[in-house]
Amino acid sequence: MNYKFWQKKKDTAPKKKKSKGREWTDAIIFAVVAATIIRVFFIEAYTIPSGSMERSLLIGDFLFVSKVNYGARIPMTPVAFPFAHHTMPLTGTKAYWDGVQWKYRRLPGLQDIKRNDVVVFNFPEGDTVALEAQDGNYYQMVMQSNRQAVHASYTIVSRPVDKRENFIKRCIAIAGDTISMVDGLAIVNGKKTPLVGTGGFSYLVEFKSDDINVGLFQEQGFKVSQVSQTGWQFEGTPDMIATLKKSEYVKSVQEMLTQKDSYDQAIFPHDPNRRWNLDNYGPIIVPKKGWTVKLDSNTMPMYERSIRIYEGNKLEKVGADWVINGKKATEYTFKMDYYWMMGDNRHQSADSRYWGFVPEDHIVGKALFIWMSFDNEGSWFSKIRWSRIFKGIH
């Protein structure tokens, strides 16, 4: 047989056409792979579920989170169902398999985390979860009750780092900073850092008369609730309160703060020797990679969890000594950078004041801009907050 003739006939033979089912399957697989790559390495959508970041971010805001700015984190739990975070939407079962775990690695980023960046991260204390407790923090629940009671009442599961709940807060202090709070005002490295035009605080407002139309103040953006005949609790920014004080109807305005030396067990590091609370605590040094801390009764309440859980060491107390990975230790050098995150709505935010430092391997990305926003009142069309669409996050 003539070889050239046979080869030409073979090349010109009509190719078998793909079936419609095969075409749809190939298209779906391509779309899933492409979307997963974009979501993991470039940008991801996020929804604001709570009011902890008001006035900066509102419940119902939909925003994009950049993975590029800080460098995309390589998946630590690679075997997972696409587009599901930790739970399957219909069955409620796990959306991942933690039988394979990769060590923490991150691609080079465009920038380091800066103070006042709005950051999305995995909840540090989300390693252990009481499933039926909705938004309940397992460790806070154990503190308020006891371990046996919590385990008897709830299904307790553990989650790897990248499958823990996503939180969004403002980075108040970066690795190496010293953070404290006095009368509700954050102090970083000895410098007062008030929130300008963003953070919400609570104030007790006394009016000269009980004949007050509070609806007018609500239209100005205040959250208002009555506490006495002429007294009201107002939530708003310091700038809003400064304007309110000028009103001829206002008798007095007093910020609602927890008194100094009033101990709150829920506040990190949950140490009765530190009389700390929501508005008054610290100073605390935020761990930095390469920083060495002395191990003693003063430092360990603040850094024990970071050394044991976040950095994966076997840490034991033997008599008066600390033993790390089988060796007696009097100091420890941190392997990662850490951050201190707080909500702008300071009195309605579960943040680092309650659960401490955020390790660098928990960082997801930087919040960029709002692409859609819905209010929960009004008709479908009026629910859209048009002024917030494509609004940058600062």
Side-chain angles (χ1 to χ4, degrees):
M1 179 184 290
N2 189 311
Y3 175 77
K4 290 184 178 180
F5 174 79
W6 179 83
Q7 184 66 30
K8 184 177 180 180
K9 183 177 181 181
K10 180 181 178 182
D11 292 342
T12 56
K15 295 182 178 180
K16 186 178 180 181
K17 188 178 179 180
K18 291 183 180 180
S19 66
K20 286 290 183 181
R22 176 65 184 275
E23 288 180 353
W24 273 103
T25 301
D26 289 350
I28 291 172
I29 292 173
F30 175 80
V32 168
V33 171
T36 300
I37 291 173
I38 292 172
R39 183 171 177 262
V40 170
F41 295 103
F42 295 97
I43 199 166
E44 183 177 2
Y46 185 82
T47 307
I48 299 299
S50 72
S52 68
M53 283 296 290
E54 293 182 351
R55 314 268 165 179
S56 306
L57 297 169
L58 306 179
I59 296 174
D61 281 350
F62 294 78
L63 49 99
F64 280 127
V65 176
S66 168
K67 306 294 184 70
V68 177
N69 284 65
Y70 303 140
R73 182 180 60 185
I74 304 299
M76 302 165 76
T77 310
V79 183
F81 192 84
F83 312 122
H85 183 42
H86 52 63
T87 305
M88 295 296 289
L90 297 178
T91 63
T93 55
K94 285 201 310 185
Y96 60 91
W97 181 56
D98 50 8
V100 176
Q101 288 287 292
W102 290 347
K103 67 179 183 179
Y104 164 63
R105 290 171 296 176
R106 189 179 293 274
L107 297 179
L110 302 177
Q111 64 173 98
D112 295 327
I113 297 178
K114 299 187 178 73
R115 298 181 197 92
N116 289 320
D117 279 359
V118 178
V119 181
V120 173
F121 55 92
N122 297 116
F123 178 39
E125 288 193 342
D127 58 320
T128 307
V129 181
L131 290 182
E132 298 85 359
Q134 298 294 327
D135 298 328
N137 180 333
Y138 168 80
Y139 294 99
Q140 293 281 347
M141 292 167 63
V142 169
M143 240 188 304
Q144 294 166 11
S145 177
N146 60 70
R147 188 177 183 277
Q148 290 75 18
V150 173
H151 279 252
S153 303
Y154 300 95
T155 304
I156 308 300
V157 299
S158 60
R159 287 175 179 162
V161 170
D162 56 343
K163 295 303 176 183
R164 296 170 190 173
E165 209 67 61
N166 287 329
F167 274 32
I168 183 167
K169 307 289 179 188
R170 190 176 297 275
C171 179
I172 300 299
I174 61 175
D177 284 347
T178 299
I179 174 75
S180 60
M181 203 161 187
V182 178
D183 292 334
L185 180 63
I187 301 173
V188 180
N189 300 329
K191 182 180 179 181
K192 295 179 179 179
T193 56
L195 290 173
V196 180
T198 57
F201 296 86
S202 299
Y203 300 83
L204 180 61
V205 180
E206 190 82 14
F207 289 100
K208 297 176 181 178
S209 167
D210 59 356
D211 186 21
I212 296 295
N213 184 1
V214 295
L216 295 176
F217 298 105
Q218 291 172 327
E219 290 175 1
Q220 296 171 18
F222 288 104
K223 286 188 174 181
V224 182
S225 58
Q226 190 168 11
V227 294
S228 67
Q229 187 171 357
T230 58
W232 297 77
Q233 179 176 326
F234 273 56
E235 292 182 16
T237 67
D239 293 340
M240 294 165 64
I241 292 296
T243 302
L244 179 67
K245 288 180 178 179
K246 299 175 184 178
S247 172
E248 59 179 310
Y249 305 105
V250 173
K251 181 179 179 181
S252 64
V253 177
Q254 181 181 356
E255 189 171 356
M256 301 175 70
L257 298 170
T258 308
Q259 296 298 313
K260 293 179 181 178
D261 297 324
S262 176
Y263 174 60
D264 185 348
Q265 183 188 23
I267 296 299
F268 178 83
H270 323 295
D271 180 9
N273 295 315
R274 291 176 166 88
R275 309 294 295 176
W276 295 357
N277 56 61
L278 191 67
D279 298 310
N280 296 278
Y281 65 82
I284 305 174
I285 298 176
V286 181
K288 181 181 177 67
K289 184 178 181 179
W291 178 57
T292 300
V293 62
K294 183 180 178 181
L295 306 184
D296 56 30
S297 59
N298 181 55
T299 60
M300 287 307 283
M302 292 185 286
Y303 303 115
E304 180 180 354
R305 180 174 173 83
S306 297
I307 297 171
R308 186 197 305 274
I309 305 299
Y310 303 146
E311 306 220 340
N313 295 288
K314 183 181 180 182
L315 180 64
E316 299 174 287
K317 184 76 180 293
V318 180
D321 300 325
W322 287 99
V323 178
I324 299 179
N325 300 325
K327 297 180 180 179
K328 180 181 175 180
T330 57
E331 58 184 27
Y332 179 79
T333 301
F334 286 94
K335 303 171 187 175
M336 290 191 292
D337 286 331
Y338 291 77
Y339 304 91
W340 190 267
M341 307 288 186
M342 290 173 60
D344 287 353
N345 190 2
R346 290 290 162 82
H347 284 164
Q348 303 294 329
S349 173
D351 51 37
S352 284
R353 291 170 295 177
Y354 291 93
W355 31 257
F357 314 112
V358 177
E360 67 174 71
D361 66 348
H362 284 56
I363 300 298
V364 174
K366 181 178 182 179
L368 290 182
F369 64 90
I370 300 164
W371 62 271
M372 179 56 72
S373 181
F374 290 98
D375 200 346
N376 59 359
E377 297 179 357
S379 63
W380 181 89
F381 187 77
S382 65
K383 282 185 178 182
I384 300 176
R385 301 185 182 110
W386 297 100
S387 61
R388 298 186 65 79
I389 295 179
F390 297 117
K391 180 180 179 181
I393 299 170
H394 306 288

